[in-house]
Amino acid sequence: MAEITVDEVLLLLNEHHLLIESQFNDPRLSFEQIAYNSQVVSDRCLFFCKGNFRPEYLMDAQKHGATGYMSETRYNNVLIPGIIVKNIQKSMSLISAAFFGFPQNNLPTIAYTGTKGKTTSAYFTKAILDRTYNKRVGLFSTINTVVGPAKSDVVKSSLTTPESLDLFTNMAAVVKNGMSHLVMEVSSQAYKKNRVYNLHYDVGVFLNISPDHIGRNEHPTFADYLHCKEQLLVNSDRCILNADGTHLKDIYYAAKATTQPENIYIYGRQKAQTATEFPLDFQYRSLADSLTNNKIELKAVSEKAKQLDIDGVYEIGIPGDYNEGNGVAAAITSGLMHAGKDDIKYGLAHTTVPGRMEIYRTKTHGTIYVDYAHNYGSLHAVLDFLKKQSPSGKVVVLTGSTGDKGIDRRSGLGKAINESANVAYLTTDDPATEDPKVIAQEIATHIDRDKVSVSYIADRKTAITKAVNESQKGDVIVIAGKGHDAFQKINGKNIPFEGDASIVANLVKGL
């Protein structure tokens, strides 16, 4: 049973210069539970006062059996003693790791960050390593959390990177279930909110960066967004960087701050001139790309890259030329984890990602793609690829944008639509406290209506139905943003929603 004493807690907090005051008289007192939700508190629990906290939550935790609390604020109206800290998020991450016996020490961990491609790259890597390690690879992704080999060990994720307590709870389950490795996505918000404070990774991968998550309640500037993402590299033993992305110099030196150059691998597309400030360790080139799959050739350039022995031709089972780079990142990462060529070939060719470029074909209407694309980078990549593949048909896109966060995405979505689409249906997508029509209008201000036919339909299912039914043979229809999400976030509530993929599948059956 997991347990931690007051003395152990205070020692850790002191080591990290987080402790302000302890109100405990007996350092030997132990906690058998830690929690930040008062509704799950039981006896001998240390309760964390975090986030949008209200004093009544602490009173409720005390009533349910909490024997201590940790907070940045002293509360004098409770009977239980407190531990006052400088930063509750950092403190909760530290104590959560210790409570579960530092599970990361027993689990080789691969972490991905990037504005786009994290989920697909993580799924590629899991598919490869599952082949190498007999399906014993855990996964913490935007879509699913996988803590063990059984079906019951797979649950839908609520955040790309969960709160530290939930993260280490899941990590401990991965270790307990005998999994050999963990692949996880790490968001910029995870560092902004200190959800992964003091967590280190065996391999950290920086896929790309473009403006996103900038606005109220998120990152105040792009510089802050970049800085937060770079922290993954600062906390990784080995780093993999994409030379085809922007800000490579900044990203490289962030990695080099804590990682020796021989443990930094740089990959990129083969170009006529490859002499750069940072020579490539791996080059790749596209041999074929279509609406169904891709084929690439990967070549090691540097001596350290050649030692991995992963040169070869690989088929990638998920369409989109932008997925070639994701496949290369997964191949290199898996090579570092001792996967062989055959495992890499199998994994890249057989990976499926729920809600990522899912293809639905019809006989008399267009081909429908369901994808989670929700910002400029991801939507531009999808639409640009499909436009090149289907020059004779129209490109139809349906999307919306989230409320109360990712405000900058709206202009990006409009820009991507304007560049590559012929028809746009704007609709509802997790509007939170905002009016979805106002969100759609903000997207539409960045679309030239002389080039693109734009309409607004508030009900998402109705909008999807219209987009599919009015399409013609040869058209491509992109249903973007929600994939398999079973809820719409409206006014603080999760409203049940059928899911884009389910709606499309049923429409196609009818056609």
Side-chain angles (χ1 to χ4, degrees):
M1 183 175 66
E3 189 175 28
I4 192 168
T5 66
V6 170
D7 193 41
E8 289 168 333
V9 170
L10 299 182
L11 181 64
L12 269 174
L13 294 175
N14 265 321
E15 283 180 354
H16 289 260
H17 310 289
L18 290 167
L19 180 65
I20 295 176
E21 174 193 357
S22 171
Q23 298 171 348
F24 283 87
N25 295 320
D26 185 358
R28 296 168 299 175
L29 182 73
S30 64
F31 302 104
E32 294 181 358
Q33 184 197 28
I34 54 176
Y36 62 84
N37 180 350
S38 63
Q39 296 179 353
V40 302
V41 167
S42 59
D43 290 344
R44 299 183 70 180
C45 175
L46 175 62
F47 183 68
F48 298 106
C49 306
K50 61 161 284 290
N52 297 318
F53 189 76
R54 296 195 301 215
E56 51 262 40
Y57 298 157
L58 179 54
M59 298 295 291
D60 191 44
Q62 177 182 268
K63 183 176 69 176
H64 284 92
T67 50
Y69 73 91
M70 186 178 293
S71 173
E72 294 175 10
T73 304
R74 296 174 183 84
Y75 293 99
N76 298 319
N77 59 338
V78 291
L79 301 176
I80 56 176
I83 298 172
I84 313 306
V85 296
K86 295 175 184 177
N87 186 307
I88 187 61
Q89 289 284 158
K90 288 182 178 181
S91 301
M92 186 169 76
S93 184
L94 273 177
I95 302 311
S96 297
F99 182 80
F100 290 107
F102 301 101
Q104 66 270 32
N105 294 342
N106 301 304
L107 193 63
T109 301
I110 298 147
Y112 282 95
T113 199
T115 303
K116 58 188 176 75
K118 295 188 297 296
T119 302
T120 302
S121 300
Y123 269 80
F124 277 143
T125 307
K126 176 172 166 55
I128 296 166
L129 294 180
D130 267 341
R131 177 94 167 174
T132 308
Y133 294 102
N134 194 28
K135 298 184 178 179
R136 311 298 289 188
V137 179
L139 176 70
F140 298 169
S141 82
T142 301
I143 300 174
N144 285 329
T145 297
V146 181
V147 299
K151 285 186 178 180
S152 59
D153 294 322
V154 182
V155 297
K156 183 167 176 20
S157 304
S158 57
L159 290 169
T160 297
T161 312
E163 287 287 357
S164 57
L165 173 51
D166 302 321
L167 175 67
F168 285 106
T169 300
N170 291 334
M171 198 175 276
V174 172
V175 173
K176 182 181 178 182
N177 289 328
M179 305 299 268
S180 66
H181 292 71
L182 173 65
V183 181
M184 63 184 289
E185 299 177 44
V186 181
S187 65
S188 59
Q189 285 291 298
Y191 278 104
K192 187 72 175 172
K193 303 289 188 183
N194 289 301
R195 294 176 192 153
V196 289
Y197 177 72
N198 204 45
L199 180 60
H200 290 263
Y201 317 98
D202 293 85
V203 181
V205 187
F206 197 111
L207 295 168
N208 50 65
I209 189 159
S210 57
D212 193 27
H213 295 288
I214 299 166
R216 65 177 185 265
N217 303 325
E218 295 188 281
H219 297 282
T221 62
F222 177 79
D224 183 74
Y225 177 52
L226 174 60
H227 171 76
C228 287
K229 283 204 169 293
E230 288 173 339
Q231 299 315 297
L232 181 135
L233 303 175
V234 174
N235 289 283
S236 296
D237 294 333
R238 290 173 287 182
C239 300
I240 300 174
L241 315 179
N242 178 12
D244 297 326
T246 59
H247 299 83
L248 178 60
K249 186 174 181 179
D250 285 339
I251 293 163
Y252 177 81
Y253 282 111
K256 191 169 176 282
T258 54
T259 304
Q260 293 293 332
E262 60 264 29
N263 288 321
I264 301 174
Y265 295 79
I266 304 176
Y267 70 93
R269 286 189 183 274
Q270 183 176 319
K271 299 181 177 71
Q273 291 183 337
T274 56
T276 65
E277 184 178 358
F278 308 105
L280 299 180
D281 296 293
F282 286 96
Q283 293 179 355
Y284 71 96
R285 65 188 181 101
S286 180
L287 300 179
D289 63 84
S290 69
L291 290 173
T292 54
N293 65 356
N294 296 21
K295 184 183 287 187
I296 62 168
E297 182 180 33
L298 179 62
K299 181 181 179 182
V301 180
S302 68
E303 285 305 312
K304 65 185 178 187
K306 290 175 182 177
Q307 290 175 14
L308 295 184
D309 190 27
I310 60 172
D311 282 23
V313 174
Y314 297 97
E315 290 189 5
I316 297 175
I318 301 176
D321 50 1
Y322 49 91
N323 279 320
E324 294 173 351
N326 296 332
V328 169
I332 300 168
T333 301
S334 300
L336 288 171
M337 290 292 166
H338 310 295
K341 290 181 187 178
D342 289 344
D343 294 337
I344 295 172
K345 285 182 179 179
Y346 182 89
L348 292 181
H350 293 86
T351 298
T352 57
V353 185
R356 285 284 190 272
M357 288 297 277
E358 290 190 8
I359 306 171
Y360 299 84
R361 294 181 175 84
T362 68
K363 291 182 179 179
T364 57
H365 292 69
T367 302
I368 305 136
Y369 293 81
V370 174
D371 194 88
Y372 272 113
H374 60 275
N375 55 33
Y376 172 76
S378 54
L379 188 60
H380 166 76
V382 170
L383 296 182
D384 183 62
F385 171 73
L386 293 176
K387 185 178 181 180
K388 291 174 183 174
Q389 296 290 328
S390 304
S392 59
K394 295 194 299 291
V395 175
V396 180
V397 61
L398 177 145
T399 191
S401 195
T402 54
D404 298 337
K405 67 175 185 177
I407 310 302
D408 59 309
R409 292 177 185 168
R410 299 168 194 180
S411 60
L413 292 172
K415 181 182 174 184
I417 291 166
N418 197 58
E419 289 170 345
S420 302
N422 304 106
V423 180
Y425 294 91
L426 302 180
T427 187
T428 302
D429 180 351
D430 294 344
T433 63
E434 293 192 64
D435 182 344
K437 187 172 185 179
V438 172
I439 294 173
Q441 288 169 344
E442 290 182 34
I443 297 172
T445 59
H446 300 276
I447 303 173
D448 182 351
R449 291 176 182 256
D450 291 333
K451 290 171 54 182
V452 184
S453 171
V454 181
S455 58
Y456 171 72
I457 301 172
D459 181 73
R460 192 173 179 95
K461 183 174 182 177
T462 302
I464 293 172
T465 303
K466 186 175 177 66
V468 172
N469 286 338
E470 294 195 356
S471 67
Q472 303 294 317
K473 195 169 184 178
D475 292 350
V476 292
I477 306 98
V478 178
I479 309 299
K482 290 193 68 64
H484 287 258
D485 284 358
F487 297 94
Q488 286 267 34
K489 295 179 177 65
I490 301 173
N491 290 322
K493 295 182 179 179
N494 285 333
I495 307 300
F497 175 67
E498 192 173 341
D500 290 354
S502 177
I503 293 169
V504 170
N506 287 328
L507 282 172
V508 170
K509 284 181 186 176
L511 294 174

